[in-house]
């Protein structure tokens, strides 16, 4: 079995649901707790054994590149002032030379297109795909749970899935379920953003995947799908037809949709609540405004 060593982080979207915050700074740099969303995703990938980090970026996203680079001026000042803990925090964000690769997606043509931009860098190995605006709090990092499912079940496409309310299925890729064993659902097909009346289930894809490298043969850059974008989901059904399994992993943990203001706010509340230092201040503030 080939090891999952590489992860792709698509960060080239426009983040229109978060305007005006995302006019000049990337959505993926929004802070949850004490880290930007993209760093939460990178840490999660590292904890799953990922060694190579490919970022699909676009204009106006250089803050992401800078965040994972060294900042010599800042480091020198912290060193001179003996701020050792702060220095360690700054150095922790630095990826090693050659570990991080940045590719430009010139137009935001959709997730399928963003992944396709990395086609020359992925050889014949499975790879992880993490959408940083989906933040997942869990005991075992969600990507690690997917890697374990891949190692237990063999090659194919894997994605994190969760049950959603019937009225929300039209926001997600939804699985048509063939079978389920030990929290791993085998899908007959995948439907992008179905109507609630015709949806095959309420089992929805969230932003964590382990993908088979053959996916690049199936991302059709000529065919725009739902929302006038090149959909990644469109690649999955032809692969299932070629007996490349598609599995949904019912992950342990809580997912926050930080691409929306509500989800981002809730993620910050969850972080503060789980932090013994911040919890008293959070509860005090809520009481103040809610009394
Ligand atoms: P979203 O569907 O949340 O789109 O992308 P968006 O453009 O970021 O946000 P809205 O809908 O306008 O508010 C999910 C992830 O895929 C990336 C985004 O950066 C985000 O991390 N993405 C999306 C790309 O890299 N390229 C694209 O063309 C579209």
């Amino acid at each position: 079995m080939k090891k999952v060593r590489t992860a792709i982080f698509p960060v080239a979207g426009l983040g229109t649901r978060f305007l005006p915050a995302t006019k000049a700074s990337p959505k993926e740099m929004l802070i949850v707790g004490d880290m930007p969303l993209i760093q939460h995703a990178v840490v999660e990938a590292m904890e799953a054994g990922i060694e190579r980090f490919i970022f699909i970026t676009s204009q106006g996203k250089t803050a992401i590149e800078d965040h994972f680079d060294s900042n010599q001026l800042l480091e020198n000042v912290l060193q001179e002032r003996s701020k050792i803990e702060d220095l360690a925090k700054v150095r922790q964000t630095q990826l090693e030379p050659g570990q991080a690769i940045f590719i430009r997606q010139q137009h935001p043509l959709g997730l399928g297109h963003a992944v396709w931009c990395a086609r020359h860098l992925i050889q014949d190995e499975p790879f992880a795909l993490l959408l940083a605006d989906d933040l997942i709090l869990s005991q075992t990092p969600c990507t690690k749970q997917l890697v374990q499912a891949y190692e237990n079940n063999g090659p194919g496409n894997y994605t994190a899935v969760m049950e959603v309310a019937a009225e929300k299925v039209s926001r997600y890729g939804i699985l048509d379920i063939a079978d389920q064993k030990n929290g791993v659902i085998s899908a007959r097909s995948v439907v992008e953003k179905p109507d609630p009346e015709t949806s095959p289930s309420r089992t929805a894809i969230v932003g964590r995947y382990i993908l088979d490298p053959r996916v690049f043969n199936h991302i059709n850059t000529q065919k725009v799908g739902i929302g006038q974008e090149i959909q990644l989901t469109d690649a999955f059904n032809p692969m299932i037809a070629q007996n490349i399994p598609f599995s949904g992993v019912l992950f342990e943990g809580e997912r926050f949709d930080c691409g929306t203001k509500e989800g981002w706010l809730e993620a910050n509340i969850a972080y503060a609540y789980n932090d013994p230092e911040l919890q008293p201040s959070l509860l005090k503030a809520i009481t103040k405004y809610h009394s």
Side-chain angles (χ1 to χ4, degrees), residues 11 37 63 85 107 123 135 138 140 169 172 185 206-207 209 236 249 274:
V11 293
L37 285 169
E85 274 182 33
H107 300 285
Q123 307 294 312
L135 181 79
S138 54
T140 305
V169 291
Y172 294 90
I185 294 172
V206 300
Y209 306 76
F236 296 141
V249 178
N274 290 333

Side-chain angles (χ1 to χ4, degrees), residues 10-18 27-28 56 61 105 107-111 114 131-133 229 259:
V11 293
L14 295 176
T16 54
R17 285 169 296 165
F18 237 111
K27 172 173 73 173
E28 297 79 9
I56 312 298
K61 300 272 182 170
Q105 183 191 27
H107 300 285
L109 295 175
L111 182 60
L131 309 192
D133 52 356
E229 293 190 335

